[in-house]
Amino acid sequence: MTIDLDQLRSGNRRALAKAITLAESKLDSHREQAQLVLEQLLPFTGNSIRIGITGIPGVGKSTFIETFGLHLIAQGKKVAVLAVDPSSPLAGGSILGDKTRMEELSRQEYAFIRPSPSEGALGGVAQKTRETMLLCEAAGYDVILVETVGVGQSEYEVAGMVDFFMVLMLPNAGDELQGIKRGIMELADALVINKADGESLNLAQQTKRHYENAMHLLRHTSFWSPQVLTCSAQEKNNIDTVWGMICNYYVDAVKNNYFTEKRARQNQEWMDKLLLEMLSLKLKQNPDVKKQLPVLHQKVTSGETTPFIAAKTLIDLL
Ligand code: GDP
């Protein structure tokens, strides 16, 4: 498969889609080619703001992304929407992908919507989404929305690849806080209470105050305290306030050198993670290790040797 890099950079969607297909391919040869494409495009990546969006099913993620995306396009932005779905099609049924989503946004010339990749080999689904994100940046998309659902590790993975991480919530004051994984709150740069409309408007305001009082649970940086906002994705209320908040964050993060530092740290952490995965794969594929592993398991089980010595013996075989 040949990818026309000039076409991709000029924003040609077919060239972009082809490059993404290559990156998502199960064939080693395709993935190697994708890495070469990525390396050549690397100087043209990074010129976007990467926003992670999470929330339980039904909170209004797709409605929000549709409204938010259309708002951004009206501001002259090019918007890419990517998804990290831990239960993607091949793993049996997807949480994010199986309904008709973001219909109006998907018809826009300046929107690009890509469903979650199916299970990835090395680095998993998140690795592919990272690569897709870079390809979209090279194609000139200046806002990348990465959506995920609150299952397992996916929020951590998404938070580790974006500049700004947002948790959508329902108007539901009270002990709802207990229902949300504490760890996720700690990842949030903002909590956005959606469905602040109609009869829920008051409840949404109460919920906002409730979370503002729980702010001490959230992670603060030297220049940013997580914000709590309300909006209505359906009624298109306060969508501009959410975007305004992210723009403020961006300006402050750049001013404080935090923006590039965070990205550099994310890249390093990602490299370390890949390195560990590659090492582990190499270990498992080594013929001597394959032969010795059951023998050493047995020795450890029967108490003939210690787990430490067994593990060290295998490492020394590499
Ligand atoms: P997702 O599962 O998080 O992607 O949620 P959806 O976007 O599919 O929305 C779930 C339901 O909530 C749908 O019936 C939407 O019409 C509704 N919904 C989404 N946003 C709003 C909102 O701002 N206000 C109200 N009242 N309903 C909303």
Side-chain angles (χ1 to χ4, degrees):
M1 210 185 314
T2 51
I3 309 290
D4 188 328
L5 296 189
D6 291 333
Q7 287 279 354
L8 189 151
R9 284 196 52 215
S10 72
N12 181 295
R13 301 159 68 103
R14 281 195 50 177
L16 174 61
K18 242 168 111 175
I20 296 173
T21 304
L22 204 61
E24 289 182 350
S25 170
K26 285 205 151 27
L27 292 178
D28 284 349
S29 61
H30 282 173
R31 290 187 53 75
E32 275 161 27
Q33 196 191 341
Q35 290 303 321
L36 292 179
V37 166
L38 273 170
E39 197 165 44
Q40 280 172 279
L41 290 175
L42 216 47
F44 312 107
T45 64
N47 297 321
S48 77
I49 177 144
R50 306 164 179 171
I51 304 167
I53 299 172
T54 192
I56 57 167
V59 70
K61 288 182 297 300
S62 33
T63 314
F64 177 84
I65 291 171
E66 165 122 326
T67 306
F68 192 59
L70 290 170
H71 177 77
L72 296 176
I73 287 171
Q75 312 274 311
K77 301 285 179 200
K78 276 181 80 174
V79 181
V81 181
L82 315 178
V84 173
D85 187 343
S87 59
S88 37
L90 287 190
S94 92
I95 298 175
L96 293 173
D98 54 6
K99 43 189 169 164
T100 314
R101 311 175 88 240
M102 308 163 203
E103 261 179 85
E104 204 183 328
L105 187 62
S106 63
R107 283 199 296 270
Q108 301 293 314
E109 190 185 344
Y110 290 128
F112 182 82
I113 301 182
R114 187 84 183 180
S116 180
S118 55
E119 203 101 59
L122 208 62
V125 169
Q127 166 71 10
K128 294 182 173 182
T129 305
R130 279 169 188 266
E131 291 170 355
T132 300
M133 183 161 78
L134 296 176
L135 292 169
C136 288
E137 287 175 351
Y141 288 86
D142 36 28
V143 182
I144 316 276
L145 305 177
V146 187
E147 176 191 14
T148 192
V149 76
V151 172
Q153 284 297 103
S154 62
E155 290 100 338
Y156 294 90
E157 293 189 329
V158 171
M161 67 173 88
V162 296
D163 306 311
F164 192 90
F165 191 70
M166 225 161 41
V167 182
L168 288 192
M169 305 185 94
L170 291 170
N172 203 343
D175 45 18
E176 185 67 5
L177 193 56
Q178 311 307 321
I180 292 154
K181 285 189 265 170
R182 177 68 63 89
I184 293 169
M185 300 278 290
E186 282 164 7
L187 299 175
D189 296 302
L191 304 180
V192 177
I193 300 148
N194 188 34
K195 307 197 186 185
D197 50 46
E199 289 181 352
S200 299
L201 198 52
N202 273 336
L203 189 56
Q205 292 304 335
Q206 276 177 43
T207 312
K208 180 173 188 278
R209 285 193 292 276
H210 176 79
Y211 284 116
E212 278 168 346
N213 290 332
M215 270 322 223
H216 60 280
L217 295 177
L218 305 187
R219 180 179 45 94
H220 297 246
T221 63
S222 56
F223 70 94
W224 185 256
S225 306
Q227 310 276 301
V228 188
L229 299 181
T230 60
C231 79
S232 167
Q234 191 170 273
E235 305 293 324
K236 303 180 175 34
N237 285 339
N238 261 7
I239 298 300
D240 51 344
T241 315
V242 176
W243 177 233
M245 165 188 65
I246 295 172
C247 292
N248 286 341
Y249 175 90
Y250 176 78
V251 169
D252 285 355
V254 168
K255 209 162 56 192
N256 287 277
N257 277 334
Y258 185 80
F259 194 77
T260 41
E261 261 171 36
K262 181 175 177 181
R263 282 192 175 180
R265 192 176 63 231
Q266 287 175 335
N267 271 336
Q268 253 184 40
E269 286 170 1
W270 190 244
M271 179 192 140
D272 291 348
K273 192 171 177 228
L274 283 174
L275 183 66
L276 284 182
E277 281 197 34
M278 284 179 193
L279 264 179
S280 150
L281 199 69
K282 222 181 161 82
L283 190 69
K284 281 184 200 143
Q285 286 170 345
N286 181 295
D288 295 334
V289 171
K290 267 192 193 159
K291 225 184 292 161
Q292 285 302 313
L293 187 66
V295 178
L296 287 162
H297 267 160
Q298 179 53 37
K299 285 191 173 171
V300 167
T301 319
S302 64
E304 242 176 285
T305 190
T306 69
F308 182 90
I309 292 173
K312 176 107 186 10
T313 310
L314 291 177
I315 289 292
D316 288 345
L317 288 175
L318 267 193

